[in-house]
Amino acid sequence: MPVAERRRLARAKIERLARAGHDTVRFWQEATEVLRPVVPFDFHPCWFTLDPEHLVITGHFNTGMSDTPTEIVRSQYAEDDVNAFTDLARRRLPAATVVGETGGDPAASWRWENLLAPMGFDDSLDAVLRARGTAWGALSLLHTDGRRPFTDADVRFIGQVSDALATGTRLGLMLHPSTTPGTAASPAVLVVDGDLSMSSATPGADRWLAELPDSGSFRDDRLPLPVQVAVVRAVSHPRGEATLRLRGRSGMWLRIHAAALTGTRTGQQAVVIEPAEPALVAPLLLYAHELTERERDIVDLVLRGMSTQAIAGQLYISPYTVQDRLKAVFEKVGVRSRRELVARLRESWSRDLLEPTDR
């Protein structure tokens, strides 16, 4: 069967999988088996979840890695490297290879020099999983010289299926409710050194760390990926702090905040892990319902109790436009009034669960 036809069938199968409502890991595993025969990658794919508003990595899954290499975090947020997810998310085709982006000189890539080559790989095909302009995840397909090189056609194909891969990732994150009781009420506070090792923590912090999604289990000498991301992001932030919001293993929405410590040895940061308040989760809920930017602005003002006239004045649009946009919001969320809209979102927050209309 011609390659083009096999890829057409593979794309159709991924689109069916995306609508099946599997949990994220199962979806990624099944999508991997669909991709493997039509794209020449080796080993196991690196699948990532992203915060759709800030494009920050919140989780990583690779069945062949017990731990997530710290170099992945550094290449995305601490080094000037090719194929940063924040860059790929802005492209018309959100996929590229390291070899292609370096003009055939992959040694110019920090990740290639410090991670890919030492592990025996000679290229990586990276893609942001984006649906209707919103990024929910990312994918890296690894390559060795034992196979034919990645081609432009491979890149285009992965870019073309990124929409379906994003949909499956989004539904996997949002459709599956908490399966375990909430974690202890008191937040965890960690002190993290500049080398991303934990020097101290409050009692019970291990329970919170176990809530965080990652490819491997927590160990004293290695922090879960979301904590690493928060710390590295805080180092590069002008205010010396960073906040992540993500879904924990139990389904609970969590907040991770990292900030530089003063009066201690260089590079130490305090990291707080706690349940995410509704105001922090609200934008994610609106993204998941696939509201446009203007629709999200209007809902935000509705949640603040503003009238149609007040919203119109705030956004410099007519009251009729506000009403039309609200009708579109009601249809997407599956409600009929402002009161039902607010109740639906509050219900989602209280259950730590979002129910998209295409469930």
Side-chain angles (χ1 to χ4, degrees):
M1 184 183 298
V3 174
E5 178 62 13
R6 287 194 290 119
R7 287 185 170 174
R8 186 189 68 79
L9 294 174
R11 182 175 181 178
K13 188 169 184 178
I14 290 173
E15 289 172 349
R16 290 194 297 272
L17 280 174
R19 295 191 296 268
H22 296 312
D23 66 83
T24 304
V25 169
R26 180 181 173 185
F27 171 68
W28 286 342
Q29 289 172 326
E30 296 198 17
T32 294
E33 297 312 307
V34 178
L35 292 173
R36 194 174 291 280
V38 294
V39 181
F41 66 88
D42 299 285
F43 193 55
H44 306 279
C46 289
W47 296 93
F48 301 90
T49 51
L50 299 178
D51 180 314
E53 187 172 19
H54 303 297
L55 300 178
V56 177
I57 295 173
T58 56
H60 170 242
F61 176 78
N62 184 310
T63 56
M65 295 182 181
S66 59
D67 299 330
T68 301
T70 302
E71 289 82 2
I72 289 178
V73 180
R74 288 195 58 188
S75 68
Q76 289 291 325
Y77 304 114
E79 305 293 337
D80 183 14
D81 203 358
V82 299
N83 290 2
F85 296 150
T86 51
D87 294 334
L88 292 176
R90 299 185 180 97
R91 299 186 184 185
R92 181 176 181 181
L93 185 72
T97 64
V98 171
V99 170
E101 290 300 295
T102 57
D105 180 22
S109 162
W110 186 92
R111 178 164 57 113
W112 188 93
E113 186 74 25
N114 293 274
L115 179 63
L116 297 179
M119 292 184 67
F121 301 112
D122 66 351
D123 201 2
S124 176
L125 199 172
D126 307 308
V128 164
L129 311 181
R130 185 181 65 199
R132 299 187 182 182
T134 300
W136 289 93
L139 169 65
S140 291
L141 299 178
L142 304 172
H143 186 279
T144 65
D145 60 9
R147 293 176 181 263
R148 70 161 176 80
F150 287 130
T151 65
D152 290 343
D154 296 328
V155 175
R156 286 194 300 272
F157 172 72
I158 293 300
Q160 289 163 359
V161 298
S162 69
D163 182 285
L165 294 173
T167 298
T169 299
R170 175 179 70 88
L171 293 182
L173 286 169
M174 298 299 175
L175 288 181
H176 294 274
S178 173
T179 56
T180 62
T183 314
S186 299
V189 180
L190 321 176
V191 176
V192 180
D193 292 333
D195 62 357
L196 298 181
S197 64
M198 186 177 72
S199 62
S200 61
T202 53
D206 56 336
R207 294 196 296 274
W208 285 100
L209 290 165
E211 266 286 302
L212 302 180
D214 204 349
S215 58
S217 59
F218 166 66
R219 301 195 312 267
D220 289 341
D221 62 343
R222 181 193 166 277
L223 291 167
L225 178 67
V227 176
Q228 295 183 39
V229 171
V231 170
V232 173
R233 291 273 291 181
V235 169
S236 60
H237 195 280
R239 293 198 303 270
E241 57 184 324
T243 298
L244 272 67
R245 57 206 169 161
L246 66 152
R247 195 111 183 245
R249 290 181 181 274
S250 70
M252 178 187 299
W253 286 103
L254 303 174
R255 172 183 182 268
I256 302 177
H257 184 78
L261 287 171
T262 58
T264 63
R265 62 179 183 266
T266 304
Q268 280 195 323
Q269 295 193 44
V271 178
V272 178
I273 307 173
E274 61 187 347
E277 63 272 20
L280 192 64
V281 179
L284 289 178
L285 306 184
L286 301 182
Y287 271 108
H289 280 297
E290 299 188 325
L291 271 60
T292 66
E293 182 177 359
R294 179 58 83 186
E295 289 167 351
R296 294 195 300 271
D297 290 340
I298 290 173
V299 171
D300 177 61
L301 297 179
V302 167
L303 293 173
R304 298 183 191 182
M306 295 180 66
S307 67
T308 297
Q309 291 288 345
I311 293 172
Q314 179 80 15
L315 299 180
Y316 301 101
I317 57 178
S318 74
Y320 299 105
T321 300
V322 173
Q323 292 173 344
D324 286 342
R325 295 292 177 88
L326 276 175
K327 288 179 182 178
V329 169
F330 295 162
E331 183 176 350
K332 290 180 179 180
V333 179
V335 297
R336 293 175 294 180
S337 67
R338 287 182 179 222
R339 179 174 295 181
E340 288 186 14
L341 174 65
V342 173
R344 173 65 62 86
L345 293 176
R346 286 178 176 169
E347 180 186 12
S348 298
W349 297 331
S350 65
R351 294 199 325 265
D352 296 320
L353 170 67
L354 179 68
E355 297 179 322
T357 55
D358 53 352
R359 182 175 181 172

